[in-house]
Amino acid sequence: MMTLPLRLACAFLLILALAGGECRAADSPVFHAGGFGDLELHSTSEHERDGVDRIELDVFSTLQFNDSWSVLGEAVAQRSWQIQEDHERYQVDLERLYVEYTRSDSFRIEVGETQTGLIRWNEREHHSRFLQTPIDVPALARRPQEDGAWPLRFAGMFASGRVPGSMGISWGVGAGAGPGRDRESTPLTERDRSLAGLLSLSMSPDAVPGLELAVAEYGGNVHINPGLLRERDVTFSASYTASGYELRGEWARMNHHLTSVSTTYLTTGYYTLFSKRLTGSAERVRPYLLFDRLKVARGEQYLAEATDENAWATGVRYDVNRHVSVKGEYRSQRALNGDRESVVGLQLGVSF
């Protein structure tokens, strides 16, 4: 659960973003607010799944003091419904709130609450459903609030930069506090704080425009009751986006070692995405195919809310214009009872 100050920060960001646009007074900092919203409707053969239909608003605001210093905040508000029962859920989360110092493309540093970048699908700049091709994120990229397994946020310091040269090498290193015994929060108190560190390295060579290869590693110590959980995660990703093609793949492994009983739990997952924008009069249409897998370690209580995934989805994205998109999708996935579940989805996305 978020503390009252974080809830107030989220509400403030939401109010500012609804105004949108950019504000600037003479010789004063530049303020910009914008965001994304979407409405998702689904028809499913499984009538016990929570949050099948939802409205989501992802807003972010930046305050640019000068060429070097800025502040960024991002919050997500979501309302979801359960299909059969008269049940609805509201959720507001602060995704990012940090101060950034940028010296050049070669070096920048963020201090505050930010994203780990461990899962490449959730790019560190934004993770809006409007920008991605399919309707739903792969299981690897789900937030803990959506029963996701991987740590996607941490509070602390993150430095990154790009190495000059034709290989397009970028690096990142961070240290701070990761998720605690409650995976939805990043506690900062001495008692519950879970120290964490992360490294990332990517390459986008000029010789192959659109190609990116990346690797990331995350380590943390989670204080649970009883004992200490040592977490070591590693991910590998590759993507190619050029000439209307979009090919993405990522593999991740999570190693949890529970010191109190000297037991190790291993969780793994991967996804692959194939899409191609059509040409000519149909250039706004992009068909796609997604394969999604996740295998959660058996018997691990820390990931008790995360579930296995074995799914594939096919659909079409249609960009009405650069601010509005419509997606239709058929998805076959693992149901809550372990059987197969068929889901037909429709999403309307808007950026502002």
Side-chain angles (χ1 to χ4, degrees):
M1 299 295 291
M2 290 191 302
T3 62
L4 179 59
L6 291 184
R7 290 184 180 274
L8 292 176
C10 291
F12 180 69
L13 289 171
L14 289 170
I15 292 172
L16 289 178
L18 290 177
E22 184 175 293
C23 301
R24 183 187 185 118
D27 300 323
S28 65
V30 177
F31 172 78
H32 176 81
F36 311 89
D38 63 74
L39 168 65
E40 293 183 26
L41 302 175
H42 296 80
S43 175
T44 175
S45 57
E46 170 61 52
H47 299 294
E48 297 179 359
R49 187 176 293 273
D50 186 27
V52 172
D53 297 332
R54 82 180 106 216
I55 296 177
E56 185 175 67
L57 179 64
D58 183 335
V59 300
F60 58 88
S61 304
T62 58
L63 185 61
Q64 189 78 38
F65 295 101
N66 51 46
D67 292 339
S68 299
W69 291 94
S70 62
V71 177
L72 183 145
E74 180 184 12
V76 175
Q78 185 182 95
R79 178 183 179 183
S80 58
W81 294 266
Q82 190 170 347
I83 284 185
Q84 197 171 44
E85 300 178 8
D86 184 16
H87 175 74
E88 59 187 26
R89 181 175 62 187
Y90 297 88
Q91 186 171 291
V92 179
D93 290 298
L94 182 66
E95 295 294 322
R96 295 183 293 169
L97 182 59
Y98 61 79
V99 177
E100 178 181 321
Y101 169 76
T102 302
R103 182 176 179 179
S104 65
D105 289 341
S106 300
F107 181 81
R108 73 174 186 177
I109 189 168
E110 303 165 7
V111 178
E113 184 165 9
T114 186
Q115 297 176 16
T116 62
L118 179 63
I119 303 301
R120 202 66 178 179
W121 184 282
N122 295 318
E123 296 180 10
R124 302 197 64 259
E125 282 65 36
H126 40 60
H127 58 266
S128 169
R129 296 177 189 270
F130 177 84
L131 296 175
Q132 68 184 25
T133 297
I135 291 180
D136 292 318
V137 301
L140 291 184
R142 291 175 187 161
R143 297 191 289 260
Q145 301 90 324
E146 301 170 333
D147 299 337
W150 264 260
L152 302 182
R153 296 189 314 224
F154 85 113
M157 180 180 65
F158 187 87
S160 61
R162 181 181 175 90
V163 179
S166 61
M167 296 303 294
I169 296 175
S170 296
W171 59 272
V173 58
R181 67 186 69 188
D182 177 5
R183 297 189 305 113
E184 297 184 13
S185 63
T186 52
L188 300 178
T189 62
E190 185 68 28
R191 177 184 176 184
D192 296 327
R193 187 173 58 202
S194 300
L195 298 181
L198 61 105
L199 298 169
S200 65
L201 187 66
S202 66
M203 180 177 65
S204 302
D206 294 344
V208 189
L211 175 66
E212 182 190 66
L213 305 175
V215 58
E217 184 175 6
Y218 173 93
N221 295 326
V222 183
H223 294 278
I224 60 177
N225 190 16
L228 182 70
L229 187 69
R230 300 188 184 277
E231 179 171 346
R232 300 294 183 268
D233 306 335
V234 62
T235 63
F236 298 93
S237 68
S239 65
Y240 176 77
T241 54
S243 304
Y245 290 94
E246 180 185 19
L247 308 176
R248 299 185 186 275
E250 188 165 5
W251 176 88
R253 185 187 69 185
M254 174 185 294
N255 187 302
H256 283 170
H257 181 72
L258 187 58
T259 59
S260 60
V261 293
S262 189
T263 301
T264 299
Y265 301 96
L266 185 63
T267 296
T268 60
Y270 71 89
Y271 67 79
T272 55
L273 173 68
F274 308 88
S275 77
K276 174 65 169 69
R277 184 176 296 280
L278 302 184
T279 59
S281 59
E283 64 179 357
R284 296 183 180 182
V285 179
R286 177 181 288 276
Y288 61 86
L289 177 64
L290 172 71
F291 295 95
D292 187 11
R293 302 289 188 271
L294 176 63
K295 186 176 182 180
V296 181
R298 294 292 177 262
E300 183 179 2
Q301 292 302 310
Y302 188 65
L303 297 180
E305 295 182 358
T307 57
D308 290 352
E309 187 62 275
N310 183 354
W312 63 270
T314 183
V316 175
R317 172 182 177 134
Y318 175 74
D319 291 303
V320 179
N321 52 49
R322 67 188 186 95
H323 293 292
V324 180
S325 69
V326 179
K327 306 174 189 177
E329 180 179 285
Y330 171 81
R331 181 179 176 95
S332 175
Q333 63 187 19
R334 178 186 180 276
L336 296 178
N337 60 8
D339 296 333
R340 299 303 298 175
E341 172 189 13
S342 297
V343 180
V344 177
L346 177 66
Q347 181 197 68
L348 173 65
V350 179
S351 68
F352 56 92

